[in-house]
Amino acid sequence: MARDEDARAIADSLRRPSAFEAVFTRHFAAVHRYAQQRVGVDAADEIAAETFLQALDHRRRFDTTQPSARPWLLGIATNLMRRRWRDEKRQLAAYARTLEVAVADGAAVESAAPPVGGVDRELAAALASLTGDDRDALLLFVWADLSYLEIADALDIPVGTVRSRISRARRRLRERLAPAPGAPDAECARTSFTSVYVHTALAEEPDNG
Amino acid sequence: MDDLEFLKTHAPATEPPRDATTARARDALLSRIDAEQSPRVVSAPAQEADRRTPRRSGRRVWRWAGVAAACVAAAAIAGAFLIDGGPARPDTAAASALHQAAAVALKQPSPAPLASGEYAYTKSEGLQLTSTAAEVQAQMSTHTPFVRETWMGAQSRLRETDGKAVFVTAQDRANWIAAGKPDFFGDPGTSVDSLGKYVPLDLPTDSGALFAELKANAAGHGTGLYNEMFVLVGDDLRETATPPAQRAALYEVAARIPGVELVGNVSDSSGRPGVAVAMTDDTTHIRQVLIFDPNTSQLLAEEHRVVAGNEFGWPSGTLVGSQTYLVHAVVGSNSEVPPAQK
C-alpha cells in the first residue's frame, strides 16, 4: 500500500465522503481481527462496524502525517472496547474455564495446538490483572503489531507513556507467569496459583461497562 | 520464550469476518455516507462527483501535523466572515497579474486530445514536512524530498519516490535524541499507486460561470470559502493538462478571489523565473503560493509555508510542502518515461 494512500483517501473524503469506503475496504478485517481477540467474535462484529462509523464522523481528526490509518482505527476500536469490559472479562473467564475443564478431564495443559480461543488460563488471568490502560497498550503492541509511536497515536498519549505502560504490563505478566519459588516445576507452579488468581483478578478489575 | 513471545504465540485464534458481517458493516457505513452527502447532491450537478475524482487524485496531501483538525472549529466562523463580505477584497496587483496570465493562456495552442493508449506524463519534485504532534518543545520535524510522477490516461498511475528525511532544525534533532531516537522517519523508497481512469476536466471557459461553479464546490469545505476556492484553482492547474481556455478562466477566477495577493517575480526551485500569487489561510496560518510562467501561464511550482501565529510555534516561513513541476509530456504507456528523464 502506498504510504499516503489512507491520508489521501481521508482527505478526499472531506469533499467526497464516499472516498472513505476505501479505508473500510483496507482495514475492516484487521480491526475486526483485533476486536475479536479482545472481546470475541460477536462483540467484534459490532465493535468493528461502529469503529468505521465513528471514524467517518471524526475523520477530520485523522493526523495526515501518519502513513496508515490502521493505528487510528485501532485506537477508536480500543476506546469502544473499554465500554465492553464485561465482554472482555467474560471472554477471558471463558478461556480460563475451558482450560480448567480440560485439566479436570486429564487433557494436557500445554498441548501442541492452542486451546479453544487460543489463550490459556494463566495468560487470561494475567491479562485480566492488568489495568485497562496497560492492557490496551500491551495488546496493541503484541497482538495488533503496532509500534510504540503508533500506539501513542492510537491512544493519543505520549510515547513515553506507552513505554511505561508496556513495561509495567510486562513486569506484571512476568510475575504471574513465572514459576512460583520452590515449586517442583514450572507447569505445576503455574497451575497451582492460576485458578485462585483468575477469580480474584476478574473480581477486582473495575467494571467500566 | 520471553513474555512477549509467549503472548504472541498464545494469541486467541481468530477467523476472518463473515461475509454477512462485512456486508452489514459496509452498508451501515455507506448509509452514513449517503446521509452526509445528500445535502450537497441536491445543489451540485449530477455528474459532479465523477468529474471531481480524477483531479483530486492529483492533489498532494501535505503531511503537516494536525493543523486541519485543530482548526476545523474556527473554520465556520472564518468562512462566514468572508462570505458576508468582510474586509478582504481582491488585491488589484494580484488581479492584474492574473488577468495577464489569463491573456497569455488564451494565446497558447490547444494540445491534441490524448489518443488511445497515450498518457499525459508529469514529473515534479518537492519537499514535505513531517512532524510529530507533540508539544513544541518536544517536536521532531523533518523535510523529506520526493519525486512524483503521474501518468494520466485510461489507467492512470502515480509513482512517488521519497528521499532521505533531514531534520528541519538542530533542535528537532536534539528532541529526537532526547526521545530515544524513535523510528520516526520511514525509509526512503518508491511507492506506486493506481489512480484509475483520468477524465479530462470539463470546466466552464466563461470565468463567471467557473467562479460560480468553484464557489458552489467550495462551500462548506476547507477552512473558508475563498481559501477553498483558491485551493480548487490550484487543484485544477496541477497535473491536469488543463486546456488553455480553461486555464485562462481559472486565472480569471483567482483574480476575483478576495485575499489573493501578488508576491511578485520569483524563481522556482529549479531556477525558472515566474510570477507568484498567494493566499494566506488565517485559520491554519498557512500561506499557499502558486508560481506560474508569465510566458506560457503554465503552473511552475507551488509552496505552502506557515506564517506567524501557527499553533505549533514554527518560525514564520517554515516550509510545509513544496512541489515544482518539471516535465510535461505525452507518452505511449503508463510506465513510459520521456527520453530525457531516463
Side-chain angles (χ1 to χ4, degrees), chain B residues 120-337:
Chain B
Y121 170 87
T122 302
K123 179 182 180 181
S124 57
E125 294 179 356
L127 283 177
Q128 61 186 22
L129 179 78
T130 301
S131 181
T132 56
E135 295 298 318
V136 173
Q137 295 81 1
Q139 270 177 17
M140 296 170 273
S141 300
T142 58
H143 278 142
T144 303
F146 66 85
V147 175
R148 177 181 166 98
E149 296 167 285
T150 57
W151 290 263
M152 306 305 286
Q155 294 177 303
S156 304
R157 192 164 157 266
L158 161 70
R159 180 167 68 189
E160 285 187 311
T161 302
D162 283 351
K164 187 178 180 183
V166 295
F167 289 106
V168 176
T169 66
Q171 185 60 50
D172 291 309
R173 185 171 189 277
N175 290 343
W176 174 68
I177 293 170
K181 299 184 178 180
D183 180 15
F184 164 64
F185 309 106
D187 296 323
T190 298
S191 62
V192 176
D193 199 1
S194 171
L195 298 178
K197 183 181 179 182
Y198 172 62
V199 180
L201 294 179
D202 184 21
L203 301 174
T205 53
D206 174 81
S207 62
L210 181 58
F211 188 92
E213 179 171 326
L214 294 189
K215 187 175 180 179
N217 289 345
H221 301 289
T223 57
L225 177 64
Y226 295 126
N227 282 317
E228 190 63 10
M229 287 181 71
F230 190 69
V231 169
L232 290 178
V233 168
D235 284 356
D236 290 339
L237 286 172
R238 81 170 67 90
E239 297 175 345
T240 55
T242 317
Q246 291 182 5
R247 201 159 70 231
L250 286 165
Y251 284 119
E252 291 290 2
V253 168
R256 292 177 55 191
I257 297 176
V260 175
E261 58 184 315
L262 178 67
V263 178
N265 296 321
V266 298
S267 295
D268 70 11
S269 64
S270 68
R272 297 174 298 184
V275 175
V277 294
M279 184 149 186
T280 301
D281 187 324
D282 293 330
T283 305
T284 62
H285 301 285
I286 290 179
R287 188 183 199 217
Q288 179 181 1
V289 180
L290 298 178
I291 303 172
F292 55 87
D293 185 334
N295 298 315
T296 66
S297 78
Q298 287 279 6
L299 184 68
L300 294 177
E302 58 186 309
E303 284 185 354
H304 294 227
R305 292 182 185 273
V306 296
V307 298
N310 69 86
E311 65 177 279
F312 293 100
W314 291 330
S316 180
T318 299
L319 186 69
V320 172
S322 68
Q323 196 163 357
T324 302
Y325 303 94
L326 298 170
V327 179
H328 298 278
V330 174
V331 294
S333 76
N334 66 0
S335 58
E336 182 183 339
V337 174

Side-chain angles (χ1 to χ4, degrees), chain A residues 1-5 7-9 11-22 24-25 28-29 32-34 36-38 41-42 44-46 48-50 52-54 56-57 59-67 91 95 110 114-115 117-120 122-123 127 138-139 141-143 145 147-149 159 163 166 169-171 173-174 177 190, chain B residues 2-4 6-18 21-30 32-33 36-37 40 49-50 52-53 56-57 59-66 68-70 72 128-133 140 144 148 158 160 162 179-180 182-189 191-193 195 217 220-222 228 231-232 235:
Chain A
M1 186 182 75
R3 281 173 55 190
D4 288 343
E5 204 167 314
R8 190 179 299 118
D12 279 357
S13 75
L14 295 176
R15 293 192 189 169
R16 186 173 59 90
S18 59
F20 196 81
E21 189 183 1
F24 176 94
T25 301
F28 181 76
H32 188 277
R33 176 176 178 273
Y34 181 64
Q36 196 182 149
Q37 289 174 314
R38 296 285 303 265
V41 68
D42 292 336
D45 289 352
E46 293 177 30
E50 180 62 24
F52 285 88
L53 295 178
Q54 290 211 2
L56 175 74
D57 290 346
R59 62 193 187 278
R60 288 181 185 277
R61 297 180 191 167
F62 177 66
D63 179 354
T64 53
T65 65
Q66 300 301 318
Q91 182 86 343
Y95 289 136
E110 294 288 322
V119 176
D120 75 9
E122 292 88 354
L123 184 57
L127 288 175
L138 180 71
L139 295 183
F141 185 63
V142 293
W143 286 355
D145 286 327
S147 69
Y148 281 22
L149 278 176
V159 70
R163 191 173 291 115
I166 291 179
R170 292 186 66 183
R171 192 167 59 247
L173 283 185
R174 282 195 292 266
L177 298 175
R190 289 169 63 188
Chain B
D2 73 7
D3 51 309
L4 291 183
F6 185 83
L7 258 181
K8 277 183 182 291
T9 55
H10 288 71
T14 58
E15 56 193 55
R18 294 179 288 262
T21 298
T22 304
R24 197 162 46 243
R26 188 187 295 274
D27 287 347
L29 181 69
L30 294 178
R32 183 75 63 92
I33 286 171
E36 187 177 324
Q37 286 183 139
R40 286 199 293 281
D50 291 335
R52 292 168 62 88
T53 302
R56 270 203 313 282
S57 65
R59 170 178 284 194
R60 178 124 201 121
V61 180
W62 304 116
R63 302 179 65 193
W64 39 276
V72 166
Q128 61 186 22
L129 179 78
T130 301
S131 181
T132 56
M140 296 170 273
T144 303
R148 177 181 166 98
L158 161 70
E160 285 187 311
D162 283 351
D183 180 15
F184 164 64
F185 309 106
D187 296 323
S191 62
V192 176
D193 199 1
L195 298 178
N217 289 345
H221 301 289
E228 190 63 10
V231 169
L232 290 178
D235 284 356

Side-chain angles (χ1 to χ4, degrees), chain A residues 52-191:
Chain A
F52 285 88
L53 295 178
Q54 290 211 2
L56 175 74
D57 290 346
H58 302 296
R59 62 193 187 278
R60 288 181 185 277
R61 297 180 191 167
F62 177 66
D63 179 354
T64 53
T65 65
Q66 300 301 318
S68 167
R70 187 165 156 268
W72 174 62
L73 294 166
L74 290 174
I76 294 172
T78 299
N79 285 333
L80 290 170
M81 284 188 283
R82 283 179 188 152
R83 304 174 196 167
R84 306 292 291 265
W85 168 239
R86 280 199 189 92
D87 287 320
E88 187 166 21
K89 187 165 59 175
R90 198 175 298 122
Q91 182 86 343
L92 291 169
Y95 289 136
R97 278 197 302 274
T98 300
L99 283 166
E100 284 173 356
V101 170
V103 170
D105 288 346
V109 173
E110 294 288 322
S111 60
V116 176
V119 176
D120 75 9
R121 58 181 178 169
E122 292 88 354
L123 184 57
L127 288 175
S129 75
L130 303 177
T131 67
D133 288 345
D134 289 355
R135 186 170 49 245
D136 288 341
L138 180 71
L139 295 183
L140 284 170
F141 185 63
V142 293
W143 286 355
D145 286 327
L146 297 191
S147 69
Y148 281 22
L149 278 176
E150 288 173 328
I151 296 168
D153 181 59
L155 301 179
D156 197 21
I157 55 177
V159 70
T161 305
V162 174
R163 191 173 291 115
S164 62
R165 285 182 184 177
I166 291 179
S167 173
R168 187 166 52 236
R170 292 186 66 183
R171 192 167 59 247
R172 291 206 68 169
L173 283 185
R174 282 195 292 266
E175 289 168 4
R176 299 300 176 186
L177 298 175
D185 60 62
E187 295 311 315
C188 290
R190 289 169 63 188
T191 305

